[in-house]
Amino acid sequence: MEPTLKNKILEYRKLTKLKSTYVDTLPSLISHRTGRLHASFNQTIAATGRLSSSDPNLQNIPIRTEIGRKIRRAFIPSNKQDWIISADYSQIELRVMAHLSGDKGLREAFERGEDIHASTAAAIFDIPLAEVGDDHRRKAKEVNFGIIYGISQYGLASRLGISADEAQEIIQNYFIRFPKVNDYMIHTIAFVQKHKYVTTIRNRRRYIPEIDSKNANIRQNAERMAINTTIQGSAADLIKLAMINIQKKFDREDLQTKMILQVHDELIFEVQANELERVRRLVKKEMEGAIKLNVPIKVDIGVGKNWLEAH
DNA sequence: AATTTCACG
DNA sequence: ACGTACGTGAAATTA
């Protein structure tokens, strides 16, 4: 098919975004002193307790398109004998939801090591796991995002391009199959209505006064913020503890490895060849064991000569 | 200075 | 009557 004008405009914007934000800008920000990029990692900006990165933002380096991946490939170690290690938590926010809610079905899916979007599809569409197709899985993935974000029938409907009634039915099916997730959401909303704040797994608080708004939109938005904050904020607690413990070990064991980036559920390291295997094991252990949950935590580790390859 | 758009988790 | 998913930051555009 001939691309439409609209598609051409979107394509143009995609390319100029990558050029202006990354290709034209990042090289000029390389320090004359160190020959490297240095960002700020802000600890008191994100309301959920996540870090944020600025000047430049190194938490939004492209990866989703082929041309974007060429930019990520440019991130390499200072010394070309060295390696990049990337360690990322697998489905951490859904695991946190499984932990906080205690839902049996969700916990068992993780204990069996299942593809969580596929097993969600099997549950909500009431079909055997073996019969889950790409379209079922894609829809279930959107539902799982919705769970983390504090789902609404309208949000899910617009994502899936279906009616609000159809979305409502999918959500109802989800809650029938994962009832304690429903209980958890109801409990969290009751808590925020009473206290005007919610807490994370390590007791960080976010105050949400909008829960008392007489505007229904603002109020429902506050409910979603409350649910999402317990999940996103608890995952932030987990990776921050892991970062502290990992650096302590590096110091104690006199390792030269440098922790260079954090991207919410991922840590990036610059590692000498002779430390590679040791660091791999150490990082995996500290990340998976930072906080004991009642579901397994899985960390995937990759090694490469640049950030893209390390995935 | 505020808004829009789009990059990431 | 409204217009929807959570959390960010940077560049371009609008006003």
Side-chain angles (χ1 to χ4, degrees), chain A residues 32-182:
Chain A
H32 296 121
R33 185 170 58 83
T34 65
R36 306 167 62 102
L37 280 176
H38 301 274
S40 297
F41 281 88
N42 313 300
Q43 298 221 62
T44 56
I45 300 288
T48 54
R50 275 188 172 183
L51 302 183
S52 81
S53 167
S54 56
D55 310 298
N57 183 356
L58 294 181
Q59 292 180 321
N60 71 344
I61 300 304
I63 193 169
R64 290 174 189 171
T65 65
E66 184 49 48
I67 193 159
R69 289 192 279 275
K70 292 185 175 189
I71 295 169
R72 186 166 286 229
R73 226 175 260 136
F75 286 75
I76 57 172
S78 285
N79 305 307
K80 66 174 195 251
Q81 318 89 278
D82 292 350
W83 296 85
I84 299 290
I85 286 185
S86 160
D88 65 286
Y89 284 108
S90 162
Q91 300 297 345
I92 191 60
E93 294 189 333
L94 283 174
R95 288 175 202 265
V96 168
M97 175 56 95
H99 172 84
L100 292 176
S101 69
D103 186 86
K104 192 153 170 276
L106 202 51
R107 287 177 56 193
E108 284 173 355
F110 283 123
E111 258 147 38
R112 286 196 284 260
E114 291 176 3
D115 170 343
I116 194 64
H117 301 314
S119 72
T120 301
I124 63 183
F125 299 119
D126 198 23
I127 53 176
L129 199 54
E131 286 173 29
V132 171
D134 289 350
D135 204 52
H136 286 127
R137 188 181 183 281
R138 187 184 57 76
K139 286 178 175 149
K141 188 175 177 179
E142 296 289 346
V143 171
N144 280 331
F145 273 111
I147 293 304
I148 292 162
Y149 295 155
I151 202 162
S152 81
Q153 55 179 324
Y154 306 105
L156 185 64
S158 82
R159 284 285 161 157
L160 291 182
I162 60 180
S163 72
D165 283 351
E166 291 170 312
Q168 182 57 33
E169 185 152 334
I170 290 177
I171 293 166
Q172 268 168 15
N173 279 344
Y174 184 95
F175 287 147
I176 288 167
R177 299 301 293 258
F178 303 102
K180 293 194 98 177
V181 174
N182 193 23

Side-chain angles (χ1 to χ4, degrees), chain A residues 101-305:
Chain A
S101 69
D103 186 86
K104 192 153 170 276
L106 202 51
R107 287 177 56 193
E108 284 173 355
F110 283 123
E111 258 147 38
R112 286 196 284 260
E114 291 176 3
D115 170 343
I116 194 64
H117 301 314
S119 72
T120 301
I124 63 183
F125 299 119
D126 198 23
I127 53 176
L129 199 54
E131 286 173 29
V132 171
D134 289 350
D135 204 52
H136 286 127
R137 188 181 183 281
R138 187 184 57 76
K139 286 178 175 149
K141 188 175 177 179
E142 296 289 346
V143 171
N144 280 331
F145 273 111
I147 293 304
I148 292 162
Y149 295 155
I151 202 162
S152 81
Q153 55 179 324
Y154 306 105
L156 185 64
S158 82
R159 284 285 161 157
L160 291 182
I162 60 180
S163 72
D165 283 351
E166 291 170 312
Q168 182 57 33
E169 185 152 334
I170 290 177
I171 293 166
Q172 268 168 15
N173 279 344
Y174 184 95
F175 287 147
I176 288 167
R177 299 301 293 258
F178 303 102
K180 293 194 98 177
V181 174
N182 193 23
D183 293 348
Y184 175 74
M185 291 185 175
I186 290 169
H187 165 264
T188 302
I189 291 168
F191 186 96
V192 72
Q193 284 169 342
K194 177 170 180 193
H195 298 285
K196 320 306 171 193
Y197 66 81
V198 289
T199 63
T200 65
I201 200 167
R202 279 296 177 267
N203 250 4
R204 189 199 325 280
R205 267 184 206 187
R206 178 181 184 179
Y207 280 85
I208 304 178
E210 298 94 325
I211 199 68
D212 288 332
S213 170
K214 52 192 180 53
N215 178 315
N217 281 333
I218 293 173
R219 215 165 49 234
Q220 285 159 20
N221 190 253
E223 293 174 2
R224 292 194 298 273
M225 284 165 50
I227 291 164
N228 176 258
T229 296
T230 64
I231 304 297
Q232 189 184 115
S234 295
D237 290 348
L238 187 72
I239 195 168
K240 283 173 159 181
L241 276 173
M243 291 170 76
I244 291 166
N245 295 337
I246 288 166
Q247 189 57 50
K248 272 189 191 159
K249 284 258 165 108
F250 285 174
D251 292 346
R252 266 208 282 275
E253 300 183 18
D254 260 331
L255 293 168
Q256 301 305 301
T257 295
K258 300 278 188 279
M259 191 188 307
I260 55 178
L261 292 173
Q262 188 254 43
V263 192
H264 311 306
D265 63 355
E266 175 188 17
L267 297 175
I268 310 293
F269 304 88
E270 199 176 282
V271 191
Q272 293 180 8
N274 64 318
E275 293 183 356
L276 216 44
E277 283 317 307
R278 210 168 147 195
V279 166
R280 240 184 133 109
R281 244 200 339 273
L282 184 163
V283 165
K284 188 168 167 75
K285 176 159 174 255
E286 294 301 328
M287 286 177 76
E288 290 182 345
I291 297 177
K292 200 73 192 158
L293 302 186
N294 60 24
V295 283
I297 296 176
K298 186 175 163 226
V299 169
D300 295 318
I301 299 210
V303 180
K305 290 267 94 175

Side-chain angles (χ1 to χ4, degrees), chain A residues 17-30 37 56:
Chain A
K17 174 72 141 196
L18 294 176
K19 183 169 188 292
S20 66
T21 306
Y22 305 100
V23 179
D24 290 344
T25 309
L26 292 180
S28 74
L29 300 176
I30 294 170
L37 280 176

Side-chain angles (χ1 to χ4, degrees), chain A residues 9-21:
Chain A
I9 291 170
L10 290 172
E11 171 77 0
Y12 171 85
R13 290 210 297 227
K14 204 156 258 166
L15 294 170
T16 54
K17 174 72 141 196
L18 294 176
K19 183 169 188 292
S20 66
T21 306

